[in-house]
Amino acid sequence: MKRWDLSALFESVEALDEALKVCARESVAFKESYAGRLSTLESSAFEKAIGEYENLSDAIGRIMSYAFLVFAEDTQKGDFYAKYELKCNEISEHLLFFEIEFGDLESLKRQEFIQAIPRYAYYLQKIEENKKHTLSLPEERIMLKLDPVGSNAFSRLFDEHLSSLSFKFQGKELSEEEILALLHHPKRSKREKAARSLTKGLAPHQGVLAYILNVVRKENAILCDIRGYATPEESRHIDNQISQKSVDSMLEVVNAEMGIVEEFYDLKREILGYEELYDYDRYAPLGRSKEKIDFESAQKIVLQALGEFSPRFGEIAQRAFDEGWIDSHPRPRKRGGAFSHGTVPSAHPYVLLNHTDGRRDIFTMAHELGHAIHQELSKGVGCLNADTPLTTAETASVFAEMLLFDKMKRSLKPKEKRTLYAGKLEDIFATLFRQSVFTNFERLIHGIKEEIKAEEFNHLWMEENQKMFGKSVTLTQNYASWWSYIPHFVHTPFYCYAYSYGQLLVLALFGLYKRGLPQFEDRYEEFLSLGGSKRPAELVGIFGFDIEDSEFWNIGIAEVRSLLEEFKETVRS
């Protein structure tokens, strides 16, 4: 069992508190040195100022990363996280002037700085472009002060509430991760009982969970009004540095191709010999071989898959296992799900897993290590450029899954291969089609001004999900409330389409890799190492793609269809 070693951030809470004091002093000094003076600076002096700003941003990020990871290890430590969140917001208030003041400079002065400092050019261009949505300094200060008690507070409540729930199953109390894992059990009766247990466990909390989602919706609407966003999702597109047209085009293609999902599940129903397929049958395994993959076995296979593609990727992943980057197994009070938290360039990423020895867990491991590799490689562009928009942030994670899939399928017998293909297609459906359904659902609920009752959330959720399955899967009433445990709806509204975006991008890139595009590995490493220092369109351009071209999305869909045909071959063999 792996646990995090947080000493890469701080050796102790005392060291954390000392860093907080230093950061507070330096932020005050920064404000005294530069507030109200950016317009008077020469380019060399501005370069020094933005370097100091970046160092302070790194220091704040380091403090908040430590506090967040402590909270993720034990969600009962919300008070610890809240303490440092409040302190860091107070420090950030001293830095708030910098981006606002830069955006208010005369156009010629802004361009002078942008052209003189190529390292920060894209970062500064984004500030310039987002100027129309930026408020005055006093207004932004108020927004910052209110941030801890807005939807972020309800996001914390959501995490604490969900992690405290337990679900009764055959005399045991299971966590959310453990009950969800049982939906993949080979016995139909156990899957059905797990589905009922999940619904029954969520039922008493529907009012609270609906209220939390309503608060998120209301805050998003208020921010749209205050900042002048045209739609509830525009701020996410700005963060992702893509156009509304590009997102709409992608969703239109995916929505039009939902028949792929229906075709697969019709075939799966025939293979299983069922007259009717229910929601709890979606992840029924098609074979018994390798049903359980323990953590050590998963580690070995994932390291081999990454290392065979790129020795550097394998080296970074090995460090993750050896140097305390990973928290591996479920525990009481530990946050559910999985993530790779990039922390700051002066440290390293931290990966949270909840490994339960299921087949999907090995792909989750590859997914999160893909993120960690991306985050580690992008450290070189610095704190202000390292974070990638969501649309490209999922590239490395999903690509790592494809590398693992490609390795595993080569060593399997036909029946085992059929099981692997089915699982991979279901993973793609979850990442591509299901996340598009989530986005369609969010568009619906954020388009409603009134408060929405839990029953109405249930109705809209069922309606949108049924479109994906068509007549191939019957959604039971148990499924109706399952919107309420999806964290992205609360943590990051309109996050989910980025998964679809990233999945289609990766499918196209993987096709190029398999066809032997010259210098693919070098191009891919460059793509990841650039982090968020260039626009997604420029990054994808490294491979010769145009993300504004509607045909781009059809390339990815064609890859899904190809996998479906390969799956059919395994059924016939």
Side-chain angles (χ1 to χ4, degrees):
M1 184 178 292
K2 301 286 185 182
R3 294 290 298 267
W4 287 328
D5 176 4
L6 298 182
S7 64
L9 295 168
F10 296 102
E11 291 285 352
S12 64
V13 174
E14 290 74 23
L16 170 71
D17 288 335
E18 181 58 33
L20 188 70
K21 292 175 185 176
V22 171
C23 191
R25 287 198 303 268
E26 291 181 351
S27 68
V28 171
F30 180 80
K31 182 178 179 181
E32 290 174 350
S33 296
Y34 297 110
R37 295 187 54 231
L38 295 189
S39 62
T40 68
L41 299 181
E42 298 295 328
S43 294
S44 58
F46 182 78
E47 185 171 11
K48 179 176 180 292
I50 197 172
E52 291 177 26
Y53 178 77
E54 181 170 49
N55 289 339
L56 285 165
S57 298
D58 188 284
I60 294 168
R62 179 181 285 265
I63 292 165
M64 282 308 303
S65 291
Y66 187 91
F68 169 71
L69 294 171
V70 167
F71 172 60
E73 284 183 312
D74 182 353
T75 55
Q76 295 300 306
K77 293 185 177 179
D79 56 339
F80 182 87
Y81 178 78
K83 171 187 172 181
Y84 290 97
E85 181 184 38
L86 183 62
K87 294 290 186 183
C88 284
N89 276 350
E90 290 172 357
I91 293 170
S92 296
E93 192 176 337
H94 297 299
L95 309 181
L96 196 58
F97 77 90
F98 186 77
E99 291 190 357
I100 295 172
E101 194 168 321
F102 174 80
D104 287 339
L105 293 175
E106 293 291 333
S107 178
L108 288 175
K109 192 68 173 178
R110 289 200 304 267
Q111 290 306 311
E112 176 192 330
F113 290 158
I114 289 171
Q115 292 170 19
I117 316 171
R119 174 179 173 82
Y120 300 109
Y122 181 50
Y123 165 75
L124 294 172
Q125 286 168 357
K126 287 188 291 183
I127 297 173
E128 187 175 42
E129 291 167 4
N130 203 31
K131 175 175 163 43
K132 66 179 180 179
H133 301 297
T134 303
L135 308 178
S136 68
L137 182 58
E139 289 169 328
E140 290 290 355
R141 185 177 292 120
I142 292 170
M143 298 291 284
L144 183 64
K145 282 185 176 293
L146 289 174
D147 193 53
V149 294
S151 64
N152 281 345
F154 285 88
S155 179
R156 174 186 153 190
L157 173 63
F158 177 87
D159 284 345
E160 291 185 8
H161 202 70
L162 262 290
S163 64
S164 71
L165 300 187
S166 60
F167 301 88
K168 293 180 180 179
F169 186 83
Q170 296 184 340
K172 295 181 179 179
E173 297 284 337
L174 302 184
S175 69
E176 178 192 335
E177 290 295 324
E178 290 168 327
I179 201 70
L180 288 172
L182 285 170
L183 294 177
H184 298 252
H185 198 278
K187 289 187 178 180
R188 194 181 202 188
S189 60
K190 287 200 172 185
R191 294 195 304 272
E192 183 179 7
K193 286 178 182 176
R196 291 181 183 278
S197 175
L198 177 61
T199 302
K200 190 174 181 179
L202 291 170
H205 310 278
Q206 287 296 285
V208 171
L209 296 172
Y211 182 69
I212 290 172
L213 186 51
N214 274 309
V215 168
V216 172
R217 290 175 53 247
K218 288 175 183 177
E219 182 181 88
N220 192 61
I222 291 168
L223 289 175
C224 283
D225 181 49
I226 291 173
R227 295 193 180 277
Y229 295 123
T231 68
E233 61 197 80
E234 185 184 7
S235 64
R236 184 67 55 217
H237 303 333
I238 291 171
D239 288 343
N240 288 337
Q241 295 126 55
I242 55 174
S243 67
Q244 180 76 50
K245 179 182 177 182
S246 178
V247 176
D248 289 344
S249 174
M250 182 272 296
L251 287 172
E252 284 171 11
V253 169
V254 176
N255 289 335
E257 296 291 342
M258 294 289 184
I260 294 175
V261 180
E262 186 172 12
E263 187 176 350
F264 169 81
Y265 280 111
D266 272 336
L267 181 57
K268 183 169 185 175
R269 176 182 53 76
E270 292 177 13
I271 295 168
L272 291 170
Y274 295 163
E275 289 187 10
E276 193 168 1
L277 205 66
Y278 294 99
D279 50 77
Y280 51 80
D281 294 320
R282 289 171 298 149
Y283 304 124
L286 294 183
R288 292 184 175 275
S289 60
K290 297 189 178 180
E291 285 178 354
K292 294 288 184 181
I293 304 177
D294 64 46
F295 186 82
E296 290 72 22
S297 300
Q299 174 182 335
K300 181 179 178 181
I301 299 169
V302 170
L303 285 173
Q304 287 174 350
L306 294 171
E308 288 168 7
F309 172 74
S310 163
R312 190 174 183 192
F313 283 24
E315 176 190 338
I316 293 171
Q318 185 67 62
R319 286 180 59 202
F321 288 103
D322 294 344
E323 298 177 13
W325 298 15
I326 296 174
D327 189 312
S328 59
H329 287 77
R331 293 188 306 277
R333 305 195 306 195
K334 177 183 170 181
R335 176 171 163 163
F339 63 71
S340 179
H341 183 61
T343 70
V344 288
S346 58
H348 62 67
Y350 284 87
V351 174
L352 181 137
L353 302 173
N354 277 282
H355 197 89
T356 57
D357 295 347
R359 184 205 62 83
R360 58 199 279 265
D361 289 323
I362 188 173
F363 283 96
T364 299
M365 181 185 291
H367 182 102
E368 299 306 338
L369 284 170
H371 277 308
I373 290 166
H374 194 175
Q375 291 156 349
E376 184 69 8
L377 286 173
S378 66
K379 283 164 50 167
V381 297
C383 185
L384 299 182
N385 287 318
D387 284 346
T388 57
L390 299 177
T391 39
T392 52
E394 294 299 331
T395 306
S397 54
V398 181
F399 194 89
E401 289 187 59
M402 291 301 294
L403 289 172
L404 176 63
F405 170 76
D406 199 52
K407 177 175 179 58
M408 291 177 71
K409 76 179 185 182
R410 293 196 301 267
S411 62
L412 297 179
K413 297 175 183 177
K415 284 190 177 181
E416 293 174 330
K417 192 177 290 187
R418 182 179 71 177
T419 302
L420 182 71
Y421 267 96
K424 187 59 196 168
L425 280 164
E426 286 166 352
D427 287 344
I428 289 174
F429 295 162
T431 308
L432 176 58
F433 294 102
R434 190 167 187 248
Q435 300 300 322
S436 294
V437 166
F438 285 3
T439 303
N440 296 336
F441 174 71
E442 283 190 287
R443 284 181 164 185
L444 280 174
I445 65 174
H446 283 271
I448 298 170
K449 292 183 179 181
E450 299 79 13
E451 183 155 325
I452 302 175
K453 293 182 178 181
E455 295 78 12
E456 182 63 13
F457 280 130
N458 292 353
H459 171 73
L460 295 172
W461 172 255
M462 291 285 275
E463 196 173 63
E464 288 304 312
N465 276 268
Q466 196 66 66
K467 292 175 184 177
M468 178 172 74
F469 297 111
K471 296 179 180 179
S472 65
V473 176
T474 299
L475 300 180
T476 67
Q477 280 305 306
N478 282 317
Y479 189 80
S481 63
W482 290 9
W483 56 269
S484 61
Y485 74 82
I486 307 298
H488 291 321
F489 295 158
V490 174
H491 294 160
T492 325
F494 295 103
Y495 179 102
C496 295
Y497 75 76
Y499 281 115
S500 304
Y501 213 103
Q503 178 73 77
L504 285 177
L505 169 61
V506 167
L507 287 167
L509 291 182
F510 198 77
L512 287 178
Y513 165 60
K514 297 303 291 182
R515 291 198 293 269
L517 179 73
Q519 291 90 45
F520 181 89
E521 291 85 347
D522 292 339
R523 295 190 202 197
Y524 186 62
E525 188 170 317
E526 179 189 3
F527 172 92
L528 299 183
S529 298
L530 286 168
S533 64
K534 292 185 181 296
R535 297 180 187 281
E538 292 181 72
L539 294 174
V540 176
I542 293 170
F543 303 97
F545 279 111
D546 177 6
I547 61 172
E548 294 296 329
D549 187 346
S550 61
E551 289 302 308
F552 167 74
W553 305 117
N554 286 309
I555 295 172
I557 289 292
E559 290 295 320
V560 183
R561 285 201 172 276
S562 177
L563 281 172
L564 180 59
E565 291 305 314
E566 290 174 28
F567 171 66
K568 290 178 180 178
E569 285 296 320
T570 69
V571 174
R572 288 191 284 265
S573 63

